[in-house]
Amino acid sequence: AAMVKESVRVYARVKPLGRRQQAGIYSVDEGENSLSNLEIIVPHDLADGFINNKRESYQFKFQKIFDQEAKQDVVFDSIAKPVAECVLAGYNGTIFAYGQTGSGKTFTITGGAERYSDRGIIPRTLSYIFDQLQKDSSKVYTTHVSYLEIYNECGYDLLDPRHKASRLEDLPKVTIMEDPDQNIHLKNLSLQQATNEEEALNLLFLGDTNRVIAETPMNQASTRSHCIFTIHISSKEPGSAVIQRSKLHLVDLAGSERVAKTGLGGHLLTEAKYINLSLHYLEQVIIALAEKNRSHIPYRNSMMTSVLRDSLGGNCVTTMIATLSVDKRNIDESISTCRFAQRVALIKNEAVLNEEIDPRLMVIQLKKEIQELKDELALVTGEQRTSELSQEELLRLDKLIEIFLEDNDPDSNLNVGADMRKIKYCFSHMKQLMNHSKISDKKLLSQHTSEEKDTNKDVGEELKKLQELLQQRNNEINILVNMLKKEKKKAQDALFHLNAASAGSAVFEQCPSVNLEERQSPSSCSSLKEAKDLIYSVHRLPFLSRETGGKMSLGCQEAFEVFKRDHADSITIEDNKQLLKQRFSEAKCLGEKLNESRNKINHLKGEITQKQFQRAALAVSNPSEELNTFDPVEEELRTQIEKEKKRYKTMFNRLKVLKVEIEHLQLLVEKVRMKMQKDFEVWWSEEAINLQVR
Ligand code: ADP
Ligand code: MG
């Protein structure tokens, strides 16, 4: 089979500095062999006080370095497009982002949450792949996607459509299985079919939403977990028995930050430990792969290295993006990230074309073989065997079974001869007999007891429900009262500030202390437990589960409205809504123009037909006259049609692009809205706990 042998390609991307961040010193050069060079200088004030022989300048080589101003489309074109092309050609591909929390991994892989132009590698790759598939009519393609999150060595299926997860643990658990050929299979990870870009984007959105919803402030899943979005493509030429299958993993790894070993004082740039254990195992795998003659590679140590096994030193075209945050305080982490990248660049992969034979063809071959064996058997035994037993034979077997069952002699035997069909029949018949007798036993038992119990249970449940409801409403009232107090206080504060401002600024410093006192709350063990119980009950409030989203209680709705008004994200929502409106009206306008254009084309076509009729009529009435085949008027009409068609095509394409953008914007709005709701729920339950503790 065809094979591509090459090293893992390693790129770097530098995140733009924040407004208040102080830049570290670094420079980017085009080096020789089309590689780029990144130099990082450790400034004196950081190196000072540490060991004297410390190097101050660090050099790293990358395939290419994307500096702060690099845009998403450029990153996609140079990093992801080549990999997507390999995957379309039938090879496996992986792109993974590695870097400390906040360095831009998610931004690069998935995209920013606000602007359409900020969409990252996943949506752009989906768009590119479906575009290419549409263009290629020589093959039949099938596309599936899956989305896996690994947190604390447990895998979770992010494409769970039930929308029930309010914790990661509510998602279906994914486990690893290894077959005898040491291939990895993921049990419970759903593969969802996506027939076009829109369906695939909806699935991505579903996964990202589950990811956000399932994240609690406590587990910080987004910095501690790995997310793997996989596009599975299979293709077949019509009539051929060969199927090509390929996978593209797009991986957002956990934050690579490390804790310096404590107690040694000042070993800033020396060995430090990962916070995330599975990244430690990833590093071990990579070190082992870089060593020559190393036969054992410790893939099995963690779930992530098992899943990415082929992507690391195996059958895959692999690309790494090192994301760097080069503000002064993060220089040491940036150097760690670059060092890791240099080691990854040493890994050699061998991607082979993944081809297999169509199982249907296999079935046809096996059927033929079975027929031949049957013929042979008939020759040897001298009797023709069909797969069915005759009615007579069945009756005889029933009789034998009956005798066998009734015979009390422990030595009795059921002998039906060396015929698999008969043996199988006996087993299934006896199973039937046994199940039948069990069921009738149970029925007798249960008829007596069930009736009176039911009514008691009903009353008890009703009571419990009412009590729970009462408790919920109680909580709501308290939270609302608190909110009201705060609103009132805000108004007063505003008034106070106004007065203070005119009186002089000295009074200001007294204000914050008031707030501080309010927060202090004693907590003891028993109230903590109560708080936990309360969380539990709060988590099950009806408004929290999205399936009954419409039934938020009145008090809770009120609180949500106020919360929304004060939430920072509501500006983003509004902005995007405005943009959406604009795009909608643009789309509508385009739609109308398209209609006009189509009408015009039809009209022109009509005119041509009429012209042709006229000419035909003329030819019939004056057969002697030579037919003039070239009609300048008709020719003019034709060029007009061509022109109009071109215009139509341009507008149509623009509308298509617009549609994708509109859908994406809708998803963004929806995502932010979900996040806000989630924030509200967290706030609400915290409020409830605070009340309880007090
Ligand atoms: P990570 O996933 O590595 O923790 P994020 O992708 O969440 O980091 O990035 C942190 C913040 O920086 C986000 O608000 C993100 O939008 C922003 N950001 C990251 N990279 C860029 C970039 N290249 N351009 C603009 N903003 C970026
Ligand atoms: Mg992230």
Side-chain angles (χ1 to χ4, degrees):
M3 187 169 83
V4 175
K5 195 168 181 170
E6 62 162 34
S7 305
V8 173
R9 279 177 245 174
V10 180
Y11 297 86
R13 185 179 198 184
V14 181
K15 194 188 99 159
L17 280 173
R19 241 178 295 141
R20 274 188 296 263
Q21 283 176 326
Q22 198 184 350
I25 309 166
Y26 75 100
S27 64
V28 175
D29 284 315
E30 293 299 320
E32 70 275 22
N33 307 335
S34 78
L35 292 179
S36 296
N37 196 45
L38 177 70
E39 180 176 26
I40 300 181
I41 311 272
V42 180
H44 277 298
D45 53 343
L46 269 183
D48 258 355
F50 304 149
I51 304 165
N52 280 335
N53 61 11
K54 189 142 269 359
R55 272 167 50 196
E56 290 193 330
S57 156
Y58 294 80
Q59 308 270 349
F60 303 102
K61 292 218 179 315
F62 289 96
Q63 197 83 36
K64 198 171 163 125
I65 299 161
F66 297 88
D67 211 348
Q68 301 188 34
E69 55 285 346
K71 292 283 170 266
Q72 298 281 59
D73 51 346
V74 176
V75 170
F76 168 78
D77 280 345
S78 29
I79 297 184
K81 209 164 157 186
V83 182
E85 263 153 21
C86 286
V87 173
L88 284 168
Y91 297 92
N92 288 339
T94 297
I95 300 174
F96 68 93
Y98 176 99
Q100 69 183 113
T101 297
S103 59
K105 293 182 300 296
T106 306
F107 186 86
T108 301
I109 296 290
T110 309
E114 286 171 25
R115 275 183 302 271
Y116 179 63
S117 58
D118 280 350
R119 67 203 191 288
I121 285 177
I122 299 180
R124 284 173 198 270
T125 303
L126 287 171
S127 177
Y128 179 73
I129 284 180
F130 281 107
D131 245 26
Q132 296 304 107
L133 295 191
Q134 229 175 15
K135 281 186 195 149
D136 180 9
S137 54
S138 69
K139 286 180 179 169
V140 184
Y141 288 96
T142 325
T143 339
H144 290 82
V145 303
S146 60
Y147 205 173
L148 169 70
E149 174 159 8
I150 302 175
Y151 179 73
N152 255 346
E153 284 305 300
C154 275
Y156 300 96
D157 183 4
L158 286 173
L159 296 188
D160 176 36
R162 294 170 302 167
H163 277 301
K164 272 200 188 139
S166 58
R167 297 170 308 164
L168 212 49
E169 291 82 351
D170 299 335
L171 291 169
K173 278 212 174 49
V174 179
T175 50
I176 286 192
M177 306 220 293
E178 211 178 303
D179 67 18
D181 296 333
Q182 301 200 320
N183 294 314
I184 298 290
H185 300 273
L186 293 171
K187 205 176 133 199
N188 251 350
L189 181 68
S190 60
L191 286 190
Q192 312 272 4
Q193 183 158 14
T195 48
N196 54 39
E197 181 183 353
E198 190 187 346
E199 282 177 20
L201 284 178
N202 280 334
L203 288 165
L204 171 65
F205 169 68
L206 168 70
D208 277 340
T209 307
N210 274 335
R211 186 175 168 187
V212 174
I213 298 293
E215 178 180 12
T216 65
M218 241 109 76
N219 69 22
Q220 288 187 324
S222 72
T223 77
R224 303 271 172 93
S225 68
H226 317 285
C227 285
I228 306 178
F229 185 88
T230 310
I231 308 169
H232 309 250
I233 301 178
S234 66
S235 66
K236 200 171 94 75
E237 278 171 28
S240 157
V242 179
I243 302 181
Q244 276 186 359
R245 285 182 208 285
S246 52
K247 276 189 271 194
L248 173 57
H249 292 309
L250 301 169
V251 187
D252 187 353
L253 288 176
S256 66
E257 49 272 19
R258 303 162 191 235
V259 266
K261 273 184 180 166
T262 49
L264 288 173
H267 278 238
L268 187 62
L269 296 174
T270 51
E271 191 192 353
K273 276 201 166 133
Y274 280 107
I275 291 174
N276 193 293
L277 191 62
S278 56
L279 285 178
H280 166 75
Y281 289 125
L282 175 65
E283 184 156 43
Q284 289 203 332
V285 165
I286 282 160
I287 289 172
L289 282 167
E291 277 175 30
K292 276 196 185 124
N293 310 323
R294 175 88 179 243
S295 61
H296 175 70
I297 309 292
Y299 290 109
R300 281 208 191 82
N301 278 343
S302 83
M303 184 162 191
M304 197 250 301
T305 47
S306 301
V307 174
L308 293 185
R309 179 181 190 144
D310 266 345
S311 312
L312 303 163
N315 172 19
C316 197
V317 175
T318 303
T319 291
M320 166 181 168
I321 308 169
T323 54
L324 304 170
S325 180
V326 290
D327 67 308
K328 212 167 161 190
R329 284 180 318 148
N330 286 320
I331 283 298
D332 53 339
E333 285 295 349
S334 297
I335 290 172
S336 292
T337 299
C338 289
R339 281 184 175 159
F340 181 86
Q342 306 297 287
R343 261 186 249 128
V344 170
L346 298 176
I347 300 176
K348 296 234 178 340
N349 277 353
E350 292 180 1
V352 294
L353 208 54
N354 301 299
E355 289 183 331
E356 55 189 76
I357 303 289
D358 188 338
R360 275 168 297 180
L361 200 81
M362 206 76 141
V363 168
I364 293 171
Q365 276 173 359
L366 288 175
K367 271 189 181 155
K368 210 171 125 211
E369 202 176 321
I370 287 175
Q371 190 51 50
E372 280 166 8
L373 288 172
K374 270 187 184 162
D375 291 348
E376 215 170 299
L377 196 65
L379 262 179
V380 174
T381 58
E383 60 180 275
Q384 199 70 38
R385 262 192 199 176
T386 56
S387 58
E388 302 283 324
L389 291 165
S390 72
Q391 205 57 36
E392 250 168 78
E393 284 171 314
L394 290 178
L395 283 175
R396 212 173 319 135
L397 286 173
D398 286 354
K399 191 77 198 155
L400 278 175
I401 292 170
E402 198 183 320
I403 294 169
F404 172 66
L405 289 176
E406 280 167 4
D407 192 346
N408 286 328
D409 181 356
D411 288 337
S412 74
N413 224 333
L414 179 61
N415 196 344
V416 293
D419 186 336
M420 232 22 234
R421 299 167 305 165
K422 290 183 181 169
I423 295 172
K424 274 189 189 149
Y425 174 79
C426 287
F427 274 123
S428 77
H429 189 77
M430 288 207 275
K431 184 174 171 184
Q432 250 176 14
L433 288 175
M434 262 184 70
N435 283 345
H436 187 73
S437 69
K438 252 195 237 157
I439 289 166
S440 48
D441 281 358
K442 256 194 211 149
K443 261 193 196 147
L444 279 177
L445 264 176
S446 59
Q447 260 168 13
H448 293 294
T449 46
S450 62
E451 283 158 23
E452 64 225 73
K453 254 198 202 157
D454 277 356
T455 46
N456 273 345
K457 219 170 70 190
D458 279 354
V459 173
E461 265 173 18
E462 187 70 29
L463 195 66
K464 223 170 103 203
K465 258 194 220 150
L466 284 173
Q467 278 170 343
E468 271 175 16
L469 205 64
L470 199 68
Q471 175 72 32
Q472 281 173 20
R473 291 290 176 269
N474 228 345
N475 279 333
E476 267 176 45
I477 290 170
N478 286 333
I479 292 175
L480 283 170
V481 167
N482 261 347
M483 260 184 131
L484 228 97
K485 275 191 201 154
K486 281 214 186 105
E487 289 283 301
K488 210 169 126 193
K489 190 160 169 307
K490 249 198 235 162
Q492 280 173 350
D493 278 357
L495 211 66
F496 176 70
H497 278 244
L498 224 67
N499 291 338
S502 54
S505 57
V507 225
F508 268 95
E509 278 147 30
Q510 290 170 3
C511 300
S513 66
V514 183
N515 283 330
L516 276 180
E517 271 170 7
E518 237 182 37
R519 284 210 197 137
Q520 284 164 2
S521 53
S523 65
S524 64
C525 277
S526 69
S527 59
L528 243 170
K529 191 192 164 303
E530 275 170 14
K532 267 191 191 152
D533 290 345
L534 196 71
I535 293 186
Y536 190 60
S537 71
V538 167
H539 263 290
R540 294 167 62 205
L541 283 176
F543 70 86
L544 280 170
S545 62
R546 265 148 287 279
E547 49 190 338
T548 52
K551 276 201 307 186
M552 211 189 250
S553 82
L554 221 67
C556 190
Q557 257 173 36
E558 195 76 20
F560 189 43
E561 287 309 313
V562 178
F563 186 86
K564 257 196 330 212
R565 205 189 53 210
D566 292 348
H567 200 286
D569 286 342
S570 58
I571 300 169
T572 313
I573 294 192
E574 270 321 303
D575 283 356
N576 273 334
K577 270 191 185 158
Q578 282 304 330
L579 201 59
L580 252 176
K581 234 191 210 159
Q582 207 182 316
R583 292 288 183 270
F584 264 131
S585 60
E586 197 181 331
K588 206 174 133 204
C589 188
L590 258 176
E592 280 162 8
K593 278 200 191 135
L594 269 174
N595 247 342
E596 275 169 28
S597 175
R598 192 171 1 174
N599 288 340
K600 193 163 168 200
I601 291 172
N602 284 338
H603 180 72
L604 287 169
K605 276 185 186 160
E607 275 187 47
I608 288 181
T609 323
Q610 226 171 9
K611 272 256 167 292
Q612 283 169 343
F613 270 131
Q614 281 170 4
R615 252 193 309 153
L618 212 67
V620 172
S621 56
N622 299 323
S624 58
E625 208 161 287
E626 207 176 306
L627 255 178
N628 185 8
T629 43
F630 182 76
D631 180 351
V633 182
E634 194 179 318
E635 209 52 30
E636 169 60 23
L637 287 173
R638 278 192 204 287
T639 40
Q640 269 187 43
I641 286 189
E642 279 320 303
K643 232 197 252 161
E644 196 58 38
K645 272 188 179 164
K646 240 182 228 154
R647 210 168 81 90
Y648 184 86
K649 189 99 197 255
T650 321
M651 286 195 293
F652 183 76
N653 283 339
R654 167 77 191 130
L655 191 65
K656 235 167 66 180
V657 173
L658 210 58
K659 181 167 165 267
V660 174
E661 184 176 350
I662 285 175
E663 276 158 10
H664 194 96
L665 279 172
Q666 282 172 328
L667 293 184
L668 288 180
V669 168
E670 183 64 4
K671 205 190 279 184
V672 176
R673 203 186 58 73
M674 292 256 202
K675 181 165 165 288
M676 194 145 76
Q677 191 177 340
K678 159 92 175 163
D679 287 348
F680 171 70
E681 285 161 10
V682 170
W683 173 84
W684 178 268
S685 55
E686 273 170 3
E687 251 348 71
I689 294 160
N690 284 342
L691 277 175
Q692 197 78 355
V693 172
R694 243 179 263 153

